[in-house]
Amino acid sequence: MSDQSSPKYIFVTGGVTSSLGKGIVAASLGMLLKARGYRVTIQKLDPYINVDPGTLNPYEHGECYVTEDGAETDLDLGHYERFLNSPTSKNNNVTTGKIYQTVIDKERKGDFLGKTVQIIPHITNEIKRRIKILGKKNEFDIIITEIGGTVGDIESLPYIETVRQLRWELGYQNSLVIHLTLVPYLAASGELKTKPSQHSVRQLMENGLQANFLVCRTEHHIPKEVRSKLALFCNLNIDNVIESKDLPTIYEVPLYLHKQNFDSLVLKELGLSSETEPDLKQWNSFLQKYKNPKSKVEIALIGKYVSLQDSYKSIVEALIHAGAYSDIKVNIRWIYSGDLTPENISDYLHGVNGIIIAPGFGDRAIEGKIISCQYARINKIPLLGICLGMQVSVIEFARNVLGYKDADSIEFNSQTTHPVICLMEEQKNITNKGGTMRLGAWSCKLKKDSALEKIYNNQEIKERHRHRYEFNSEYLAEFEKNGLEAIGFNPDTGLVEAIIINEHPFFIGVQYHPEYKSTVASPHPLFSALIKASQNYQINKVKNAKK
């Protein structure tokens, strides 16, 4: 679309409070610009000192999202991929931990020639370098950079300072700042209050940045006079004050912003053409199907982090994509696996049409997952086990079908005499937790004419991994003799990637994370297959009840 030699940069900052939805706004804008024909990518700068989210408890920061090249990243990268329908990489997520680690390593090597190492210029220069990496190969016209945290946070200051320097260096027509704030509604006085946004913009200006756009999160429509007041106090044209009202689904946000000409105004500020209207046919079709399903199913999501639903964000979104694709509304029944016992399992799963056993780490609440696998296997309820979900289904089968009562994963019980899930040889001496698992996209060869080959319509696939423990192939022959079959293998290592229980309508376990590759434009076929199997289970149950 553009003939500029270097990309334009859009910086998205936040104020007043966290969790306002900077990632959704960035992803929505990126989708609209891509729909106009521009080459767009989005990166996230996270101010925490962890090197990556890989060692963070999901309760701290939601799910850890994994890229094709094996980076453990912030969950917002999942939004970017789902909205843009294009993969991100390790260069799309930077943390303060990574920045400081790099600078300290350089200092130890003597790269700074004895100079005093400081926040400015050394830390800010490294942040600058990281921001600009994505623009080096001339693959993108526009790079959107979301800055985590809130303006005024101590840990965010180096990033804000870096943006100030970059805007000066890039030239003001080659970059812009979008500031996302909250416009709260006070029920007692019946008013929308602009003061928090005014203070937030002022704080941004004190740090040397003038926002080009103010995106206002609100529960109520913002009248013209309120937008005019915000524009006056924030040095903006009224058209550049954008309303971001609470909507029924995040997938309506791009269309809501487009109605306010947000994308064309952004292009105008950057000196880029907005003549080509965005092609939103596919997006509108998805939304139409999502809002008007022809039927519904209920799927139980069984995990140990269910009290924070962002812990399984990609799974939830994958169910939305696949459900809309099939004109089926998917209701999720959230179940904490630690609550499940053999006595109450039928009460918890009564009426569900399908089950997902969620991924995770550690032995807490594992027995509930194992009990769920047994219940699904015996009662022929469609089940998809993801990563740890596959592993617990293997453990359950070994205990209750093969008769190995102490069968376990050595992650949970290193003394088990039947380690049906074990460590790869190269993992056995690893002591560091971060970044040392099997990560990123790995090849998988599916058995010809297997259920998975039919689901994917392909024998060669690539899926993303995030785990350390593997199926113990020493037991494979015995499993297969008794009805649990391995139907996916890594072609290089021979590791088992997928299993199926024969004589069951749909009982599939995968060692990988299919949810990471589901997007609005390309729903993942495995989730589509689960939803279809759940619908068939529901139909058959109704038929049998009538007999």
Side-chain angles (χ1 to χ4, degrees), residues 26-27 30-31 33-35 38-43 65-69 76-90 92 134 139-140 142 144 282-283 321 464 516-522:
M31 187 280 277
L33 297 175
K34 187 178 179 184
Y38 288 97
R39 300 172 301 163
V40 183
T41 192
I42 313 176
Q43 62 185 173
Y65 189 80
V66 178
T67 60
E68 289 280 299
D69 59 356
D76 274 326
L77 270 73
H79 292 311
Y80 306 161
E81 290 198 10
R82 288 188 282 271
F83 277 60
L84 294 182
N85 194 37
S86 57
T88 54
S89 72
K90 62 184 179 183
N92 289 74
L134 290 169
E139 293 175 352
F140 304 107
I142 299 168
I144 301 173
Q282 188 179 37
W283 198 271
H321 306 155
R464 301 182 201 180
Y516 290 147
K517 293 188 79 167
S518 182
T519 70
V520 170
S522 303

Side-chain angles (χ1 to χ4, degrees), residues 259-278:
K259 281 180 184 174
Q260 299 173 74
N261 298 314
F262 185 38
D263 45 326
S264 57
L265 289 166
V266 163
L267 290 171
K268 182 181 176 184
E269 290 272 350
L270 292 172
L272 297 174
S273 170
S274 60
E275 287 181 13
T276 304
E277 282 296 310

Side-chain angles (χ1 to χ4, degrees), residues 294-328:
K294 294 176 182 174
S295 57
K296 63 182 179 180
V297 296
E298 185 167 10
I299 292 178
L301 180 54
I302 300 174
K304 66 184 201 178
Y305 305 115
V306 293
S307 61
L308 180 67
Q309 295 178 5
D310 272 0
S311 302
Y312 303 113
K313 191 67 179 169
S314 291
I315 294 175
V316 173
E317 301 307 316
L319 288 170
I320 288 172
H321 306 155
Y325 182 77
S326 303
D327 295 305
I328 298 170

